[in-house]
Amino acid sequence: MLTKLLKHDLRGTGRIMVPVWVGSTALAVLASIMSCFYRSYQWDDRHPLSILTDLFGLTAVLCMMALLLVCVFVCARRFYDLLGDAGYVYFTLPVKPWQHIAAKLVNAVIWTVGTILVMAVQMGLMSGPMNGAVTFSMDFYPGHPGWLALYCIEAVLLVLEGFAVGYLTLYLCMAIGAQWPQHRLLASVVTYFALSFSGQVLMMVTARLTFRHLTRIVDSVEISVQQNPLPTMAAAWGGILLILAAIGAILWAVTQYFIGKKLNLG
Amino acid sequence: MEWNITSGRPVYVQLVEQLEQALAAGVFPPGSRIPPVRELAADAGVNPNTMQRALQELESRGLLQAQRTAGRIVTAENGELTLLRQKRARRLVQDCLTQLRGLGMNEEEIETLLKEVQNGNDV
Amino acid sequence: METMYEARGLKKLYGGKPALNGVEFAVQPGRLVGLLGPNGAGKTTLLKISAGLLTPSAGEVRIAGQLPGPATKAMVSYLPDRMALPREQRAEDMVAFYKDFYTDFDGYKAGQMLADLKLDPRQRIGAMSKGTQEKLQLCLVMSRAAGLYLLDEPLGGVDPAAREYILSTILSNYSESAAVIISTHLIGDIEKALDEVIVLKDGAVLTHQSVDALREVNGKSVDEYFREVFKC
């Protein structure tokens, strides 16, 4: 069931995202070509083609930045629509609630990662002739290539988990907002602000309470970093990954509760 | 066949009547197989269970015979059917006479009228 | 055969106001049951709970003995009272979708029905008229060999010719092992096709009897009986 849902979601999202990717990349290519001409022909700044080049360049950059927004909007909306009229089709399928969440989440993360990659390509295209590759600060490189691999894995996982937690937060807000079917959008937005606010309050309170412990942890981490930098950093990132995973799990569980046991389609 | 189920009376009763009429009129000849319940029901726009009950009633009246695996057939022997036909014919004639008398005609006028219409002379 | 559908003490409150107030009834397989009642009687709410789209405030619904969940959804075919199909898909896409998710879906039958109703499989749902969309939804729902059909106003939004076709489809789809619950306003069209009717009033069952029994006892059709009971 999950694969079927996912296949369907991927195709549906692709129907919007792929043309957007193609259009935006075409624009980037065009802007890049024009700026090449600009450099070779050395047009004066008031030359119409020079203005056009700048215009294209600006539009291409804006499009690139908008890509991520479009992707998040499209993916978030798929879940939002699930709790609207489309839910009458989806929630009558012989599918468990967790499978709905999983399909939408995996779909969202896949397309978001794809969009980031497309953005990187566009960025490369547009800044191509000017500078070389982005240099990677290899502060933690020295020594074992195994550590580099571990850091890369952790970095990738961090990005994926970050996206996942981001979307799960949105999903949870929508699931709670759907408890007021007549004012679903408003309720979801309000829930989002309420959640962020309480999240921040929670963090402040926890920081306050655990202040003493925190300073002790930080001290011991500092010592550890000086003594064995590599494992410590890996462990620190690992710790963050675990915390993110825990947050994600909580968000998922609560969302599942609301769309499972408390489903009330309007 | 033509169905005409009206609203005031139980559907089952009307089905039995109209099926009898059809059998009497020879819509389903003796010995022939009648369509399956579902088809008849869909045709008449009625509930299959109700149609089933009606067919079972006709079975108990000896007008239909259920076959183990192959639906129902109209009874081959004409005894029951003839009786049915006679009963219906009688009722029709009775209704007709009552109405004609209600128009003020006497027995002689009625007989003449009947002969005329029978010979194809419309008045 | 076990009871196909049972509602026990079903209540649904919307902000203190009860849409359903203690509904109790059972439906056996092989029965076509009409769910009747004026607007606001709770018909749609009842069907939504049965389809697993709403959670009751109290009481329960059991389908083939189980509470609504993925197992019951595999055997329940639900027609909503609204247009729920995604507008950017084509009719044939939805047929493929249903075929993918429901093992009891008959793609061939669906194709036949679309042809009978003169629906273009390649047409996008967003480009269809309201009546055509409703016909499509109905085709999809009736092409499943489900154990329980829940049809919320299947005749409302379509022309009389289509209504006849729909009724005739429901009747020819008849199976002794399946139950059909149809909620409708258009009682006259449908009552002779029904075994039983359940009349809801103010969120509770007013009466539950066979059509013929009701006709016999009251000497009038269900439609006329209904108009009398709910006279304004």
Side-chain angles (χ1 to χ4, degrees), chain A residues 4 8 88 91-92 264, chain C residues 12 48 55 73 97 100 102:
Chain A
K4 289 181 191 167
H8 210 73
Y88 280 77
F91 281 109
T92 46
N264 279 297
Chain C
K12 180 65 180 173
K48 277 163 73 169
T55 41
K73 288 173 187 177
F97 181 85
D100 214 5
Y102 295 109

Side-chain angles (χ1 to χ4, degrees), chain C residues 112-128:
Chain C
Q112 293 277 64
M113 264 201 252
L114 287 181
D116 287 343
L117 288 167
K118 310 215 182 2
L119 265 67
D120 176 11
R122 300 272 316 155
Q123 192 179 22
R124 281 199 200 279
I125 293 172
M128 294 179 182

Side-chain angles (χ1 to χ4, degrees), chain C residues 10-33:
Chain C
L10 207 56
K11 289 201 181 135
K12 180 65 180 173
L13 299 152
Y14 281 114
K17 225 171 73 90
L20 292 178
N21 201 359
V23 170
E24 298 238 352
F25 67 89
V27 177
Q28 303 301 326
R31 298 300 169 92
L32 276 85
V33 176

Side-chain angles (χ1 to χ4, degrees), chain C residues 160-216:
Chain C
R163 258 183 240 157
E164 275 229 33
Y165 179 81
I166 289 165
L167 260 180
S168 147
T169 306
I170 293 172
L171 286 174
S172 40
N173 258 1
Y174 172 80
S175 149
E176 281 170 1
S177 52
V180 180
I181 301 181
I182 307 177
S183 103
T184 184
H185 290 121
L186 300 166
I187 305 168
D189 280 10
I190 205 179
E191 70 174 271
K192 55 189 206 278
L194 301 173
D195 279 288
E196 308 158 17
V197 289
I198 297 167
V199 182
L200 284 187
K201 188 179 183 190
D202 299 327
V205 174
L206 179 68
T207 182
H208 177 185
Q209 44 182 315
S210 80
V211 169
D212 275 353
L214 202 151
R215 283 186 172 195
E216 194 148 346

Side-chain angles (χ1 to χ4, degrees), chain A residues 98-163:
Chain A
W98 74 262
Q99 289 169 320
H100 282 301
I101 300 175
K104 297 284 182 285
L105 184 65
V106 171
N107 177 63
V109 170
I110 289 178
W111 285 102
T112 310
V113 167
T115 304
I116 301 280
L117 291 173
V118 168
M119 283 167 74
V121 163
Q122 288 178 6
M123 215 163 23
L125 275 173
M126 290 191 285
S127 57
M130 302 263 288
N131 54 9
V134 177
T135 49
F136 185 179
S137 165
M138 308 273 236
D139 290 339
F140 306 114
Y141 173 59
H144 222 264
W147 287 113
L148 180 60
L150 183 62
Y151 290 138
C152 281
I153 294 173
E154 283 185 327
V156 166
L157 281 177
L158 198 65
V159 165
L160 293 177
E161 269 190 35
F163 288 158

Side-chain angles (χ1 to χ4, degrees), chain A residues 1 4-5 7-8 15 78 85-97 260-266, chain C residues 12 48 51-55 70 73-74 78 80-86 88-89 93-94 97-98 100-102:
Chain A
M1 282 296 152
K4 289 181 191 167
L5 278 178
K7 179 182 73 175
H8 210 73
R15 212 173 272 150
R78 277 195 87 83
D85 279 354
Y88 280 77
V89 171
Y90 280 97
F91 281 109
T92 46
L93 296 174
V95 164
K96 303 197 184 82
K261 299 271 186 288
K262 288 247 160 246
L263 189 65
N264 279 297
L265 287 185
Chain C
K12 180 65 180 173
K48 277 163 73 169
L53 302 176
L54 283 182
T55 41
K73 288 173 187 177
Y78 171 65
D81 65 338
R82 68 191 58 197
M83 182 53 202
L85 301 176
E88 71 277 2
Q89 303 271 38
D93 293 333
M94 285 319 297
F97 181 85
Y98 266 65
D100 214 5
F101 282 94
Y102 295 109

